[in-house]
């Protein structure tokens, strides 16, 4: 199975900060990498698919980049509604696997 | 508007069975794969099972293979997960999710989840 790691596991940031979360795959997954946001008690929400494509309706302050084994999710200017946990997920091969998550909370 | 509504969760004893349902609205099943993903209390996301758009292809995580069965009824846009021989480690919120494609790739819509607790 492809293992996904994320860093940091948590971070504290202020409204307006630029935040970057990284995700690494244990082998090359081309650009088969998705990012999800999950708020407490809620279902995950798709933000970015195929590494860099913004899902419809997602604010443009979210962006994704990377290929092969190294990927990143950037929030250009953190907003109050962005405090949540973020998961990466590889879809290169079955079983699809998720990263352990990065919790973004208020400084 | 795409909506997914799960039901069927609850408290069950170890070794017992449950059948989860997911009713979809706002789209038709046919062109898309559908999946179940679970989240144990305080933990991350774990893929459980997927049924391809045709309904003929099914995929399972090793942790549930042989115990869980995914199926769908396209006539009423409902996805199912039959869970047998349940274990304590199956305790989780179970989410139904729609894929963007006919295969297992990108989960673009999720239901609100149904909780399953396996305990004596």
């Amino acid at each position: 199975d492809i293992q996904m790691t994320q860093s940091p596991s948590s971070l504290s940031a202020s409204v307006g900060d630029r935040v970057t979360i990284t995700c690494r795959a244990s082998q090359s997954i081309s650009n088969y990498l998705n990012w999800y946001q999950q708020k407490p008690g809620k279902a995950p929400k798709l933000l970015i698919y195929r590494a860099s494509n913004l899902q419809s309706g997602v604010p443009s302050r979210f962006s994704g980049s990377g290929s092969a084994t190294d990927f990143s999710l950037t929030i250009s200017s953190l907003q109050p509604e962005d405090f949540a946990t973020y998961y990466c997920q590889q879809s290169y091969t079955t079983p699809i696997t998720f990263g352990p998550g990065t919790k973004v909370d208020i400084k | 508007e795409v909506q997914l509504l799960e039901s069927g969760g609850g408290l069950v004893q170890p070794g017992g069975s449950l059948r989860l349902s997911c009713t979809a609205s706002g789209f038709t099943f046919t062109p898309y794969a559908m999946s179940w993903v679970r989240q144990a209390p305080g933990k991350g996301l774990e893929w459980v099972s997927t049924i391809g758009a045709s309904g003929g292809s099914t995929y399972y995580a090793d942790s549930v293979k042989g115990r869980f069965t995914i199926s769908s009824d396209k006539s009423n846009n409902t996805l199912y997960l039959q869970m047998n021989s349940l274990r304590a480690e199956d305790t989780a919120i179970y989410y139904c999710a729609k894929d963007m494609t006919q295969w297992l790739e990108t989960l673009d819509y999720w239901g609100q989840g149904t909780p399953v607790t396996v305990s004596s």
Side-chain angles (χ1 to χ4, degrees):
Chain A
D1 297 0
I2 296 176
Q3 307 303 317
M4 306 300 293
T5 57
Q6 289 181 233
S7 61
S9 56
S10 65
L11 67 90
S12 295
S14 300
V15 172
D17 283 354
R18 181 181 181 88
V19 169
T20 297
I21 299 167
T22 63
C23 175
R24 177 165 288 178
S26 60
Q27 67 183 72
S28 177
I29 58 171
S30 184
N31 67 339
Y32 288 89
L33 192 282
N34 305 315
W35 289 97
Y36 301 87
Q37 176 195 65
Q38 187 179 33
K39 297 180 180 179
K42 301 294 187 182
K45 172 187 173 183
L46 177 66
L47 299 176
I48 303 285
Y49 62 97
R50 287 282 189 106
S52 60
N53 295 281
L54 193 68
Q55 171 67 345
S56 176
V58 173
S60 59
R61 62 181 180 273
F62 291 94
S63 64
S65 65
S67 65
T69 61
D70 294 306
F71 302 87
S72 63
L73 172 71
T74 297
I75 309 171
S76 61
S77 178
L78 198 66
Q79 298 301 300
E81 60 269 30
D82 300 337
F83 292 97
T85 299
Y86 294 85
Y87 294 95
C88 61
Q89 172 241 321
Q90 68 80 18
S91 57
Y92 183 75
T93 189
T94 307
I96 64 166
T97 45
F98 294 86
T102 295
K103 184 176 181 181
V104 177
D105 61 21
I106 302 171
K107 182 184 286 185
Chain B
E1 180 191 6
V2 171
Q3 289 191 329
L4 298 168
L5 184 62
E6 301 96 335
S7 60
L11 174 63
V12 61
Q13 292 188 340
S17 297
L18 274 180
R19 188 195 199 200
L20 306 184
S21 299
C22 170
T23 302
S25 59
F27 72 102
T28 55
F29 265 16
T30 306
Y32 307 106
M34 297 292 296
S35 296
W36 291 96
V37 175
R38 68 185 181 184
Q39 187 169 34
K43 302 297 184 183
L45 301 168
E46 180 190 15
W47 169 74
V48 173
S49 182
T50 295
I51 186 165
S54 67
S57 300
T58 57
Y59 309 88
Y60 299 94
D62 285 346
S63 58
V64 307
K65 200 172 293 182
R67 300 188 298 123
F68 290 12
T69 302
I70 191 171
S71 61
S72 65
D73 182 344
K74 294 181 190 293
S75 65
N76 62 11
N77 255 22
T78 302
L79 179 72
Y80 302 101
L81 186 68
Q82 177 66 43
M83 305 188 297
N84 299 331
S85 303
L86 282 161
R87 307 165 179 167
E89 54 264 37
D90 296 318
T91 294
I93 295 174
Y94 284 72
Y95 294 102
C96 158
K98 169 190 167 294
D99 207 286
M100 289 180 107
T101 73
Q102 59 182 323
W103 311 112
L104 171 57
E105 185 178 325
T106 301
L107 305 171
D108 60 348
Y109 289 94
W110 299 59
Q112 87 293 343
T114 187
V116 171
T117 302
V118 184
S119 175
S120 55

